[in-house]
Amino acid sequence: MFSLARRCRPLPLLSRDWGAPAALSRGLSGSCPGGQDRPSSNLGKRWKDTAEVVIVGGGCVGVSLAYHLAKAGMKDVVLLEKSELTAGSTWHAAGLTTYFHPGINLKKIHYYSIKLYEKLEEETGQAVGFHQPGSIRIASTPTRVDEFRYQMTRTCWHATPQYLIEPEKVQELFPLLNMSKVLVGLYNPGDGHIDPYSLTMALAAGARKYGAELCFPAQVTNLVPRSDGTWEVETPHRKIIAKRIVNAAGFWAREIGKMIGVEHPLIPVHHQYVVTATVPEVKALKRELPVLRDLEGSYYLRQERDGLLFGPYESPEKMKLQESWVKEGVPPGFGKELFESDLDRIMDHVEAAMEMVPVLKKADILNIVSGPITYTPDILPMVGPHQGFRNYWVAVGFGYGIIHAGGIGKYLSDWILVGEPPFDLIELDPNRYGKWTTAQYTSAKARESYGFNNIVGYPKEERFAGRPTERISGVYEILKSRCSMGFHAGWEQPHWFYKPGDDTSYKPSFRRTNWFESVGREYKQVMEKVGLIDLTPFGKFSVKGTDSVKLLDHLFANVIPKVGFTNISHMLTPKGHVYAELTVSHLAPGEFLLVTGSGSELHDLRWIEEVVTEGGYSVEIKNVTDEIGVLGVAGPLARKVLQKLTSEDLSNNAFKFLQSKPIKLSNIPLTAIRISYTGELGWELYHKRQDTAALYNAIMENGQEEGIDNFGTYAMNVLRLEKAFRAWGAEMNCDTNPLEAGLQYFIKLNKSSDFIGKQALKQIKEQGLERRLVYLTLETDNVDPEGNESIWHNGKVIGNTTSGTYSYSSQQSLAFAYVPIELSKAGQALEVDLLGRRYPASVVQEPLLFTEPTRNRLHEKGGRVKS
């Protein structure tokens, strides 16, 4: 042992012969908690030849899935583990559990996990070593205080218990803290830590109790897809025919993926934590300390018996990746081994911890644990079915596998059994990555994500490592020095543009920041003149074949547009939730172009392909996202600019709203669709990607007289919200049905086709809605709603915003929000929590501004026009 206060060379750690905290010592002792023997392999028994599901990997996530599937009644659940349960990352994990997550949907995963762990011992008879002293995040800067307030409003409409507490309460809960820098604490009662080994063994006991088979050592040596969609799973012992494969193999997941030709973007990270010997001041405490997270110091700290355990997240420059495993594979025998520790690498964080918790200065180090955890580029795991591989699912890339294990097991089990995700969790969709996600990109982003673990989480945050990828549009080189680029599914897309005198630096904020005036300028450009925007990142699919109309009529709740026209259509789940929103263009008889948002590309394509396969439709589907560029032209002078470039008549009578035509602009062939997410007069121009620069230059050169200029996605968001256009992922997703989202115009319940979700939607309509999407105006100051803020009424949280912005036309804030049906009438007074202050809001009739086609119709009829 040696003192933390004395800098010295790190002591090398061997694989097994050292003292350890509870989770580690039990994992190495060869016995289960409570004196039970380590669970033995069932390889002596006869294996099943077939299985409903084969789970590859016996860490806490894989075992949790086996437990949940078996408990839900699925027969023939088989888990295959190459060595022994918990081998890999589970056995050496620090075991932290927290209700907190900065995102929205993962709060549900964390909540379920904790509630499961609280009752697991009673259910299985297996001790889990669950401690729930709570946790405190420390804010020591004013910006952190803003962040905590931002997170509070995003949490109040969830079941998660979370409170802002003053320094006095922080000190009461954690009396060993140096309070000189503490401004406020974010407190989650019920948080804590669990013994990962015991947790996994309890889940394993439950899985066996309900009929699952856990087989180990049973290394999967090959996966062979069969023509009927099943899989042949090969092991050294025998073969199993599985209806579905779930890759939950931890840092071996890349090897499993390579068996079927997929390169999962995963990389092992060296994560270290330090365990001290007994600290007298800790031993003297009458109750366990809450888990501490010092965000500026970038470390967590918890009590471990009568000592302390703390783990830092080093900066991107200092952290270490195990890149050789990506290039050469995981060493065959690696299971319950560790890396050599490196105290020098984390010394900055050690010193920060000693300043915040002074008793650490006198503490002796018992161990430094350095083990592999698997990261994806964005730190979030990959969970769900994988596009391009029928019945191949993944649950991999868990940087925080202990807290995710319970909830992910339940989430995947429900999805597998019911056929649709139980709630929206698209941020974990494995299909958010694609061929553009190279090993180099994965390495750069994982380094950034690990090092940025505790940085301030702003709205509209951008991270720049690994960019650009191969996904750049034809105007990237032209525009990159003129704008602030955003990252969308590998693509670079302008968010906002600079003018001389603008502050062009990246300045994220919880309040209005340096792009506020620039976005207002672009908004005015589109409303008064004409603007040009790069929309190339759209996901784009070509669908054709003898069954194309039949397929789309079954997929979409809207009718199929006539040849030469486009409409907005929605794919629903069997339960009637909104799985996706696309524009459908009928280019020629039986030939369609489907367009979706950039983040939904493979998410939507996978769903479509699955329906095609299950229904046996004779169609050809091609992902043309990378082949086709898209430019959008919008504004009252859009027609005047484009008409100079073509002999095609673009007049309102000749080229109607939602019409699509093959035309030439400046002799460049393209498909023009009269549609714009701005709600103004506009066209989307679909063309070969290699023609983008020439097309852009031609439009800009010929629009000089009209004062044409660029605009970005921030301005487009303002324009769409003023027109009350919904956005998938915000106003609608797998948590919402189209009726409560106000999408009735696009849902044709009376069409003859029995589209997916139709029967469920009829039942929802018959039963009546409990909530409804409403349109709010807010009186704010220097802050605007972003979405997911809490809505208050009579001192209670009654709903949440979905998206929001500042309206440059009405000079007030706007937001969409879900509220109870009884509070949804125009004129209803509500409050929206923004950064800890409740701002008055009113439900108003939508939209704030009519779209250009509506204004034209009203003008022709002599009606009142909102413009």
Side-chain angles (χ1 to χ4, degrees):
M1 292 191 297
F2 57 93
S3 171
L4 271 173
R6 177 167 55 89
R7 290 200 59 161
C8 60
R9 298 302 302 165
L11 299 180
L13 292 178
L14 303 178
S15 60
R16 295 176 183 249
D17 55 343
W18 44 279
L24 289 165
S25 60
R26 280 198 279 266
L28 299 175
S29 65
S31 64
C32 295
Q36 299 173 357
D37 291 335
R38 180 190 296 272
S40 59
S41 168
N42 61 0
L43 292 181
K45 301 177 182 178
R46 176 174 173 78
W47 286 19
K48 294 177 178 177
D49 294 322
T50 61
E52 289 282 334
V53 174
V54 166
I55 301 162
V56 184
C60 58
V61 173
V63 177
S64 173
L65 177 56
Y67 160 83
H68 282 94
L69 285 171
K71 185 176 181 180
M74 177 176 278
K75 306 301 181 184
D76 300 330
V77 177
V78 176
L79 181 147
L80 303 177
E81 162 56 43
K82 72 187 295 289
S83 55
E84 58 182 294
L85 301 184
T86 77
S89 296
T90 297
W91 73 281
H92 62 74
L96 299 180
T97 56
T98 177
Y99 284 113
F100 178 87
H101 194 276
I104 297 302
N105 301 318
L106 271 166
K107 295 182 195 297
K108 301 174 187 176
I109 296 294
H110 288 212
Y111 185 86
Y112 178 88
S113 289
I114 288 176
K115 294 306 178 185
L116 171 67
Y117 301 165
E118 287 175 345
K119 62 185 181 183
L120 198 56
E121 181 176 344
E122 179 182 353
E123 179 184 347
T124 65
Q126 187 90 22
V128 296
F130 196 16
H131 297 245
Q132 293 184 275
S135 77
I136 305 172
R137 285 169 170 77
I138 299 298
S140 52
T141 68
T143 301
R144 285 288 184 192
V145 176
D146 272 354
E147 182 185 24
F148 284 8
R149 288 172 177 159
Y150 176 71
Q151 287 300 334
M152 281 301 299
T153 189
R154 291 161 63 84
T155 300
C156 286
W157 56 281
H158 287 266
T160 299
Q162 185 169 290
Y163 307 93
L164 275 179
I165 58 175
E166 296 299 319
E168 294 78 14
K169 184 64 176 179
V170 173
Q171 188 168 35
E172 177 189 333
L173 292 169
F174 203 112
L176 304 182
L177 210 57
N178 173 5
M179 299 298 297
S180 63
K181 294 183 178 180
V182 177
L183 299 179
V184 72
L186 192 67
Y187 177 51
N188 289 97
D191 280 11
H193 55 96
I194 196 167
D195 177 357
Y197 179 85
S198 299
L199 168 64
T200 306
M201 293 307 146
L203 290 167
R208 289 191 183 94
K209 172 183 174 182
Y210 298 118
E213 286 191 8
L214 312 183
C215 306
F216 55 92
Q219 181 177 359
V220 173
T221 56
N222 199 18
L223 297 174
V224 180
R226 292 155 55 97
S227 59
D228 61 354
T230 62
W231 289 86
E232 189 174 282
V233 184
E234 298 179 4
T235 77
H237 310 284
R238 66 185 304 128
K239 296 178 181 178
I240 303 176
I241 304 302
K243 289 185 178 180
R244 183 181 286 103
I245 299 293
V246 182
N247 181 350
F251 53 69
W252 289 285
R254 284 182 58 86
E255 273 78 351
I256 299 299
K258 286 179 180 179
M259 293 177 186
I260 63 170
V262 60
E263 292 277 347
H264 292 307
L266 303 168
I267 190 167
V269 171
H270 288 230
H271 180 62
Q272 299 187 102
Y273 62 81
V274 177
V275 185
T276 77
T278 296
V279 177
E281 293 87 345
V282 174
K283 187 174 183 179
L285 293 171
K286 292 186 172 19
R287 63 182 179 190
E288 185 176 353
L289 291 167
V291 177
L292 184 75
R293 290 177 173 86
D294 177 7
L295 303 179
E296 300 306 318
S298 192
Y299 64 87
Y300 57 82
L301 180 147
R302 69 168 177 83
Q303 187 171 334
E304 174 62 32
R305 299 177 182 174
D306 292 330
L308 296 169
L309 179 155
F310 70 96
Y313 291 94
E314 309 96 294
S315 68
E317 298 76 27
K318 289 188 175 182
M319 62 85 67
K320 188 174 182 180
L321 300 171
Q322 192 63 25
E323 293 180 281
S324 64
W325 289 10
V326 175
K327 299 172 184 175
E328 303 161 15
V330 182
F334 199 97
K336 285 197 169 179
E337 286 72 39
L338 293 168
F339 300 130
E340 184 171 315
S341 62
D342 184 355
L343 186 61
D344 284 346
R345 200 169 76 234
I346 62 173
M347 204 60 205
D348 291 345
H349 306 279
V350 171
E351 291 170 355
M354 289 191 296
E355 182 180 0
M356 186 64 78
V357 185
V359 296
L360 277 172
K361 295 177 182 179
K362 300 178 290 183
D364 289 327
I365 290 181
L366 185 64
N367 289 297
I368 306 172
V369 178
S370 180
I373 56 175
T374 308
Y375 264 44
T376 63
D378 64 7
I379 210 172
L380 296 175
M382 299 164 60
V383 176
H386 201 290
Q387 187 272 330
F389 301 92
R390 189 178 173 193
N391 294 324
Y392 174 74
W393 295 53
V394 295
V396 299
F398 289 89
Y400 311 99
I402 304 305
I403 186 55
H404 288 158
I408 291 298
K410 172 65 172 172
Y411 177 84
L412 275 180
S413 172
D414 287 352
W415 191 348
I416 289 169
L417 291 166
V418 176
E420 66 178 88
F423 54 87
D424 181 55
L425 206 56
I426 193 172
E427 59 265 52
L428 304 194
D429 190 340
N431 306 300
R432 67 188 186 271
Y433 300 117
K435 294 177 181 178
W436 54 269
T437 317
T438 63
Q440 182 180 7
Y441 172 84
T442 299
S443 176
K445 294 304 286 188
R447 183 175 292 280
E448 178 187 59
S449 295
Y450 184 89
F452 284 6
N453 219 292
N454 289 308
I455 67 166
V456 175
Y458 292 102
K460 293 184 170 66
E461 180 187 41
E462 285 293 320
R463 296 186 177 184
F464 301 98
R467 295 169 55 182
T469 72
E470 65 184 42
R471 279 190 146 181
I472 54 175
S473 81
V475 291
Y476 173 74
E477 293 297 332
I478 298 172
L479 300 180
K480 67 179 182 180
S481 62
R482 306 180 191 178
C483 67
S484 175
M485 289 283 184
F487 189 72
H488 302 272
W491 295 96
E492 299 290 330
Q493 186 176 28
H495 276 170
W496 61 279
F497 285 83
Y498 315 140
K499 292 294 182 184
D502 287 350
D503 180 354
T504 64
S505 56
Y506 172 64
K507 288 187 175 179
S509 175
F510 296 102
R511 295 174 169 80
R512 294 171 191 164
T513 185
N514 60 322
W515 49 258
F516 182 77
E517 298 296 336
S518 300
V519 172
R521 182 174 61 225
E522 293 171 29
Y523 168 88
K524 185 177 181 181
Q525 174 73 35
V526 175
M527 290 297 292
E528 297 180 359
K529 297 180 181 179
V530 56
L532 184 57
I533 185 171
D534 183 15
L535 300 173
T536 299
F538 280 161
K540 308 170 252 334
F541 317 127
S542 168
V543 179
K544 56 185 176 181
T546 55
D547 288 341
S548 60
V549 172
K550 183 180 178 182
L551 165 68
L552 299 185
D553 210 22
H554 179 59
L555 271 173
F556 292 113
N558 204 346
V559 295
I560 303 303
K562 297 176 182 178
V563 175
F565 283 87
T566 297
N567 70 13
I568 309 295
S569 294
H570 299 84
M571 295 193 297
L572 308 183
T573 70
K575 289 187 176 181
H577 296 159
V578 185
Y579 187 83
E581 179 183 75
L582 298 90
T583 57
V584 179
S585 297
H586 201 162
L587 304 180
E591 184 175 337
F592 297 85
L593 176 66
L594 310 186
V595 179
T596 187
S598 57
S600 306
E601 176 194 345
L602 298 182
H603 168 270
D604 295 0
L605 181 60
R606 187 206 64 81
W607 182 271
I608 295 169
E609 290 174 339
E610 184 176 286
V611 173
V612 169
T613 301
E614 291 179 353
Y617 293 95
S618 178
V619 294
E620 177 189 338
I621 299 175
K622 185 179 180 183
N623 186 355
V624 293
T625 299
D626 291 341
E627 300 173 19
I628 296 179
V630 190
L631 294 177
V633 183
L637 303 180
R639 178 181 286 117
K640 189 175 180 181
V641 172
L642 295 182
Q643 191 65 78
K644 299 178 188 180
L645 298 168
T646 183
S647 59
E648 185 79 30
D649 185 355
L650 301 183
S651 66
N652 191 56
N653 290 332
F655 207 135
K656 296 179 173 59
F657 178 58
L658 292 180
Q659 198 166 1
S660 58
K661 289 185 180 182
I663 67 171
K664 287 185 178 182
L665 288 179
S666 190
N667 211 34
I668 297 171
L670 53 82
T671 297
I673 303 175
R674 192 178 153 194
I675 192 172
S676 176
Y677 202 36
T678 66
E680 296 303 307
L681 173 65
W683 280 263
E684 291 177 357
L685 309 172
Y686 292 78
H687 55 275
K688 292 181 180 178
R689 194 168 152 196
Q690 58 265 34
D691 292 335
T692 302
L695 180 61
Y696 172 88
N697 288 330
I699 295 171
M700 291 299 285
E701 289 169 9
N702 283 271
Q704 292 306 301
E705 183 181 344
E706 290 74 23
I708 193 170
D709 209 345
N710 298 292
F711 72 104
T713 57
Y714 285 0
M716 186 166 67
N717 186 56
V718 176
L719 289 156
R720 73 96 181 171
L721 277 164
E722 286 191 344
K723 308 304 193 306
F725 290 169
R726 278 73 169 152
W728 193 90
E731 284 70 54
M732 52 181 147
N733 54 32
C734 289
D735 292 331
T736 60
N737 68 66
L739 304 182
E740 65 188 2
L743 298 171
Q744 289 87 338
Y745 177 81
F746 306 101
I747 308 300
K748 310 303 183 184
L749 287 173
N750 60 349
K751 80 171 186 175
S752 58
S753 173
D754 188 21
F755 62 84
I756 298 171
K758 182 176 183 178
Q759 299 309 315
L761 212 52
K762 284 183 175 180
Q763 291 182 0
I764 291 170
K765 184 177 181 180
E766 183 178 338
Q767 293 167 359
L769 301 176
E770 295 182 358
R771 64 172 190 167
R772 190 169 74 86
L773 187 71
V774 297
Y775 199 55
L776 300 177
T777 57
L778 293 80
E779 299 300 329
T780 64
D781 38 46
N782 194 34
V783 60
D784 299 299
E786 293 281 340
N788 297 309
E789 294 96 356
S790 296
I791 307 291
W792 291 75
H793 178 66
N794 287 342
K796 294 182 180 179
V797 176
I798 53 89
N800 63 280
T801 62
T802 56
S803 57
T805 191
Y806 177 79
S807 166
Y808 292 90
S809 66
S810 65
Q811 298 185 11
Q812 60 187 334
S813 293
L814 297 176
F816 273 123
Y818 277 105
V819 300
I821 200 79
E822 64 271 17
L823 298 176
S824 65
K825 294 180 180 178
Q828 176 67 56
L830 300 168
E831 295 176 305
V832 179
D833 181 352
L834 302 175
L835 298 182
R837 177 180 169 187
R838 297 180 199 171
Y839 289 90
S842 297
V843 177
V844 297
Q845 185 175 352
E846 60 178 81
L848 187 69
L849 299 179
F850 287 135
T851 63
E852 178 264 346
T854 303
R855 295 198 301 264
N856 286 343
R857 287 197 301 271
L858 289 173
H859 181 75
E860 291 170 1
K861 295 178 181 179
R864 180 176 173 271
V865 178
K866 290 183 182 180
S867 62

